[in-house]
């Protein structure tokens, strides 16, 4: 019975939070803010490619790796975490931290690279299998 009461209380809090939730920034500011950060990151990537330094190449490549992972993760996190106050604002702050504040190198080196290195063979195998399946489907559809 206490479990049922606890569940009802949490459900009520979530529902009331959804009803009363207001964003700090309007949607268009969130959208354009993210776009500006990505545009700046793209330009900084261009500058890194054109420079002779390797350090900036690594910084911006690690940014794009993390951006790809975060973008993929958003498929599920947006469905689950959208009700958290300031969720969109937090996403912009993460982009700014990863790009202009160069947090991507730190996170890439401490979390992403070790994980990918550990699972690299399995990921490569899965990618090869997916490519073979896609090629098979494409050749079957081409014959039809």
């Amino acid at each position: 019975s206490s479990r049922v009461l606890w569940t009802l209380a949490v459900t009520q809090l979530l529902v009331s939070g959804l009803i009363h939730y207001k964003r700090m920034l309007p949607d268009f500011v969130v959208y354009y803010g993210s776009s500006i950060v990505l545009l700046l990151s793209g330009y900084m990537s261009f500058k890194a490619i054109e420079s002779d330094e390797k350090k900036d190449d690594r910084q911006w490549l690690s940014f794009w790796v993390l951006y790809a992972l975060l973008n993929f993760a958003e498929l599920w996190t947006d469905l689950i975490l959208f009700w958290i106050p300031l969720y969109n604002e937090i996403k912009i702050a993460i982009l700014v931290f990863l790009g202009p504040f160069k947090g991507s190198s730190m996170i890439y080196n401490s979390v992403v690279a070790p994980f990918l290195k550990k699972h690299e063979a399995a990921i490569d195998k899965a990618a090869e299998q997916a490519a073979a399946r896609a090629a098979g489907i494409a050749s079957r559809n081409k014959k039809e």
Side-chain angles (χ1 to χ4, degrees):
S1 68
S2 64
R3 189 176 282 175
V4 171
L5 290 175
W6 177 251
T7 304
L8 288 172
V10 170
T11 304
Q12 177 61 36
L13 284 172
L14 290 175
V15 169
S16 66
L18 288 173
I19 292 169
H20 300 304
Y21 170 69
K22 293 189 180 189
R23 291 186 177 140
M24 203 168 113
L25 299 173
D27 284 340
F28 77 91
V29 173
V30 172
Y31 174 76
Y32 287 115
S34 296
S35 297
I36 289 169
V37 171
L38 291 175
L39 182 64
L40 172 65
S41 299
Y43 181 71
M44 295 308 293
S45 298
F46 160 76
K47 297 286 281 183
I49 291 168
E50 296 300 316
S51 77
D52 292 332
E53 279 188 52
K54 293 291 182 198
K55 186 178 180 182
D56 57 357
D57 295 357
R58 189 167 179 83
Q59 154 61 30
W60 291 105
L61 282 172
S62 61
F63 169 83
W64 292 111
V65 168
L66 283 163
Y67 178 73
L69 291 172
L70 289 173
N71 202 28
F72 181 74
E74 278 185 51
L75 293 171
W76 293 281
T77 59
D78 280 355
L79 295 173
I80 299 167
L81 302 177
F82 73 92
W83 57 271
I84 292 177
L86 306 177
Y87 176 63
N88 285 328
E89 290 81 356
I90 291 168
K91 290 191 316 186
I92 289 179
I94 289 170
L95 277 179
V96 170
F97 169 73
L98 293 177
F101 285 99
K102 301 181 179 170
S104 59
S105 292
M106 178 183 67
I107 293 173
Y108 178 84
N109 292 330
S110 62
V111 178
V112 176
F115 177 83
L116 291 177
K117 286 177 184 176
K118 181 178 179 182
H119 301 288
E120 187 173 7
I123 295 168
D124 288 346
K125 184 177 179 181
E128 287 172 11
Q129 290 172 345
R133 286 185 195 144
I137 292 169
S139 68
R140 280 192 301 259
N141 287 336
K142 194 175 187 181
K143 291 177 185 176
E144 293 174 8

